[in-house]
Amino acid sequence: MRTALLQSSGRPGSTAENLKVLDEAAGRAAAAGAGLLVAPEMFLTGYAIGDDIARLAEPADGDAADAIAETATRHGLAIAYGYPERSADQVFNSAQLISADGTRLANYRKTHLFGCFEHDHFTPGEQPVVQAELGGLTVGLIICYDVEFPENVRAHALAGTDLLLVPTAQMHPFQFVAESLVPVRAFENQMYVAYVNRVGREGDFDFVGLSTLAGPDGVARSRAGRGEELVLADVDPAFLAVSREANPYLTDRRPGLYGSLA
C-alpha cells in the first residue's frame, strides 16, 4: 500500500484552513497512487495554540470528521490525522483513521502526555492498542511521545500490527527520535512505522520535520527534510512476511523473564 506522509503544520488556529490543506494533499497523494495519507499530531487545529485547543476541540464524529470523510471519499484514499477530541468535559490529544469510503475505522487517544503543555491541556487516554484493517494490513495508531516507550510499540507488535501510524509534533533538540529511534522500533518489532511530523516554529516549539516511513529491516523507505513536504513510500506485506521469518524476535521472546518490567 502506497502511503503518503504530509509533513506540515498547516495553519495553526484555523480548522477550516487545515481542512483545505489536507484536501489539497489528499489530491496529490491520490494522484501519486497512495491508498493512505497520514497527517501530523494535532493537524486539524495546530499544536501550540494554548486555550484554543479546548475551544476548537470536536467529538470524534464531529463536523471536521465529516469533512475529512468527504475528502477521503472524493479522492479515494484513507486519511489519518491528529486533532483535539472533545468528550464531555475532557479533551484528548487524538488521532483518527477514516477509510476511503468515509468510514471512521479507528480513534486513538494519546496515552503518554509530554511536558507541562500537554498535561495542562489534555487528559491521557487509557487504551494502548487501537487497530483497524486497511488494504490487507493491520494498521495501528499511537501519537508522538508514545513511540518513545518500547512497551507501547511491542504491545502493537504482539497484537499483530503491520503498519504503525505515528502522527507527531517532534521538536528540537529531539530529532534523534526520527533519525534513529523510529527505524529501530520498526526493526525490533518487525513492522512498518510511519512517523509524520510538524515542521517549523510554532509558539515556543521548533518542529524538526524529518518524517519517515521505516521498514521492518530498520531502513527508512522515505524521509522528509526540514520543510513542508509530501513524501511517499510503499508498505509491502510480502517483504514484511519475509523479514519476520528472518528476524523472529516475537517468537524468540521469553515473557516469563520479563515480569519485573510491569
Side-chain angles (χ1 to χ4, degrees):
M1 180 171 63
R2 180 153 294 178
T3 301
L5 315 183
L6 173 58
Q7 178 167 287
S8 172
S9 287
R11 307 296 179 264
S14 176
T15 297
E17 289 300 315
N18 290 325
L19 288 172
K20 292 179 183 178
V21 173
L22 192 63
D23 181 78
E24 188 273 337
R28 287 192 287 141
L36 170 64
L37 171 67
V38 188
E41 180 177 6
M42 292 286 287
F43 182 78
L44 185 63
T45 60
Y47 181 89
I49 57 173
D51 291 339
D52 279 348
I53 289 174
R55 181 179 66 83
L56 295 174
E58 294 190 17
D61 59 354
D63 291 343
D66 289 343
I68 293 171
E70 190 278 330
T71 294
T73 302
R74 181 159 36 83
H75 293 293
L77 82 172
I79 298 176
Y81 64 99
Y83 75 107
E85 178 191 355
R86 166 74 64 186
S87 179
D89 61 347
Q90 296 179 312
V91 176
F92 297 91
N93 184 336
S94 296
Q96 184 152 233
L97 174 63
I98 295 177
S99 73
D101 67 4
T103 302
R104 294 174 48 244
L105 295 179
N107 189 70
Y108 170 79
R109 295 167 173 175
K110 190 174 185 178
T111 55
H112 294 73
L113 301 181
F114 178 78
C116 296
F117 178 82
E118 291 192 5
H119 283 277
D120 286 345
H121 292 284
F122 300 109
T123 298
E126 297 295 335
Q127 186 174 354
V129 176
V130 172
Q131 298 169 310
E133 297 301 312
L134 183 69
L137 298 167
T138 300
V139 177
L141 289 165
I142 59 176
I143 299 173
C144 198
Y145 194 40
D146 290 327
V147 80
E148 299 176 38
F149 293 82
E151 299 89 346
N152 276 359
V153 186
R154 181 50 54 87
H156 269 275
L158 294 175
T161 294
D162 300 314
L163 169 61
L164 185 62
L165 309 182
V166 191
T168 192
Q170 181 63 66
M171 58 200 70
H172 179 81
F174 305 110
Q175 51 265 33
F176 70 90
V177 174
E179 294 171 337
S180 301
L181 186 148
V182 168
V184 170
R185 286 284 181 271
F187 179 68
E188 68 189 3
N189 290 288
Q190 287 299 293
M191 62 174 61
Y192 286 89
V193 178
Y195 187 81
V196 188
N197 200 9
R198 304 180 70 82
V199 66
R201 182 163 291 280
E202 199 175 321
D204 293 333
F205 305 111
D206 184 12
F207 299 115
V208 300
L210 302 176
S211 299
T212 187
L213 195 149
D217 53 359
V219 175
R221 297 296 189 275
S222 185
R223 186 184 295 282
R226 299 296 185 99
E228 299 259 342
E229 195 170 348
L230 183 73
V231 297
L232 296 102
D234 291 328
V235 175
D236 183 354
F239 181 80
L240 183 59
V242 170
S243 183
R244 285 173 171 172
E245 184 174 356
N247 301 285
Y249 288 123
L250 299 184
T251 56
D252 286 349
R253 293 170 65 251
R254 297 180 62 193
L257 300 179
Y258 313 145
S260 62
L261 294 179

